[in-house]
Amino acid sequence: YAIDACCLAKAYVTAGIGKGVQLGKGPGPVVHTKFPSSHLHFPSIVLDPKKKTSETPAFLPMVKAQAPSAESRDKATLGKILLIVDSAEWVERLAKVKGITDIQLRIKNEHDPERILATVKQSQKACNAAGVRLWINDFWEAAVEAGCFGVHLGQEDLTRCVDNGGLTKLHERNMALGISTHSYAELSAAIGVRPSYISLGPVFGTSSKNVAFDPQGLATVYKWRELLCPDMPLVAIGGINDKETAAKVKGAGADCIAVIGAVTKADDVDAACQMLIDAME
């Protein structure tokens, strides 16, 4: 919480300085403004203190599905929904579903590097055949070796990846990177890495994953959209199980929703996917 407070205080002071009016030869007084609400003032935490965020190499940029432009035609467009599954069999099944462009493989309860790599390669083969982008959760080494499109990292895994030179290897292969955030401090850290997208969660209560954070709610989705650069895709995750909820999350500013049970527990997987895609239109 202390780092969250520092990030918000920095944003508040920066906004106040920007609105200050010069009264004499020196800078004007800091103006009292409102709660931080602009990406222009929100700080980033950089990996290298000798560099500005703008000097940090950006990961493969992605475009929001809702607002492609002529300038972004040469960039990859992030799908309206990001399916998260835990097995190669699920990847193989979902890669064939109409309208699906992005799948994230989140391998659970497996620590053997060879088995992890085999699962990743099997999943990548299925995605290659279907023309679908595969994102690997946490296991960036396997993603690099298998030639996957991108990697998704939580904050703790981001730290380990940095310590082991992983970000450099992802950059060298021009891979995409998504980063999870749950707090203002984590948002500042994610912005400093300049990823392909930033995710927020859990928006609502979820049983798919044990998390140490309370549900964020729609108000936080709205706030994250304010604090992120307009061209940075925002992915919302957690408890988004029906079209009404998906539409509300989109209305709050999410560009993409990441879902698990809404699809894997559905009686009709294809229909569930289409329902969520339509809700994000």
Side-chain angles (χ1 to χ4, degrees):
Y1 296 120
I3 303 179
D4 289 335
C6 289
C7 292
L8 290 172
K10 177 66 169 66
Y12 181 80
V13 171
T14 300
I17 292 174
K19 290 185 176 296
V21 178
Q22 189 174 16
L23 301 178
K25 294 183 178 180
V30 177
V31 175
H32 288 291
T33 58
K34 58 183 179 179
F35 193 89
S37 59
S38 172
H39 72 281
L40 298 174
H41 306 134
F42 194 72
S44 60
I45 300 175
V46 295
L47 296 173
D48 185 348
K50 297 179 182 179
K51 293 183 179 180
K52 299 178 181 179
T53 298
S54 59
E55 297 172 339
T56 301
F59 281 89
L60 184 70
M62 300 201 74
V63 181
K64 306 173 186 178
Q66 290 85 352
S69 63
E71 294 79 10
S72 62
R73 287 176 182 171
D74 59 338
K75 299 178 181 178
T77 300
L78 183 65
K80 297 180 177 67
I81 67 172
L82 173 61
L83 304 180
I84 301 179
V85 294
D86 59 5
S87 70
E89 289 71 28
W90 264 115
V91 172
E92 291 170 339
R93 179 178 179 184
L94 295 176
K96 301 174 183 178
V97 175
K98 182 181 178 181
I100 296 303
T101 59
D102 297 88
I103 299 176
Q104 181 186 136
L105 176 63
R106 180 192 287 173
I107 300 173
K108 297 181 179 180
N109 304 317
E110 181 58 75
H111 304 286
D112 183 278
E114 292 185 2
R115 291 181 180 177
I116 291 171
L117 180 58
T119 300
V120 171
K121 285 185 173 180
Q122 181 181 346
S123 300
Q124 180 59 32
K125 182 179 179 181
C127 286
N128 277 340
V132 171
R133 294 183 290 257
L134 179 64
W135 302 75
I136 302 301
N137 187 281
D138 296 346
F139 296 112
W140 61 269
E141 299 99 327
V144 168
E145 186 167 344
C148 299
F149 176 81
V151 171
H152 180 93
L153 297 173
Q155 295 280 325
E156 292 182 359
D157 294 293
L158 173 61
T159 300
R160 287 191 286 268
C161 184
V162 171
D163 291 343
N164 290 281
L167 294 190
T168 299
K169 293 180 180 179
L170 297 180
H171 271 302
E172 290 173 347
R173 289 158 179 78
N174 197 32
M175 294 175 67
L177 175 66
I179 299 180
S180 297
T181 64
H182 311 85
S183 66
Y184 290 105
E186 291 186 353
L187 179 59
S188 290
I191 293 172
V193 176
R194 301 185 70 189
S196 307
Y197 74 74
I198 288 176
S199 72
L200 168 69
V203 179
F204 305 106
T206 177
S207 59
S208 298
K209 182 180 180 181
N210 294 324
V211 293
F213 294 86
D214 293 330
Q216 304 281 356
L218 293 174
T220 307
V221 178
Y222 181 82
K223 179 57 62 178
W224 252 232
R225 185 66 273 168
E226 286 186 326
L227 297 178
L228 282 174
C229 181
D231 59 2
M232 173 62 71
L234 174 60
V235 178
I237 183 173
I240 306 171
N241 297 318
D242 54 60
K243 62 180 181 181
E244 290 79 12
T245 305
K248 290 179 181 178
V249 172
K250 178 182 181 296
D255 304 298
C256 169
I257 54 172
V259 296
I260 305 174
V263 170
T264 59
K265 296 180 181 179
D267 294 330
D268 187 331
V269 169
D270 292 69
C273 289
Q274 191 59 54
M275 175 267 293
L276 293 170
I277 292 172
D278 291 344
M280 292 297 291
E281 292 289 350

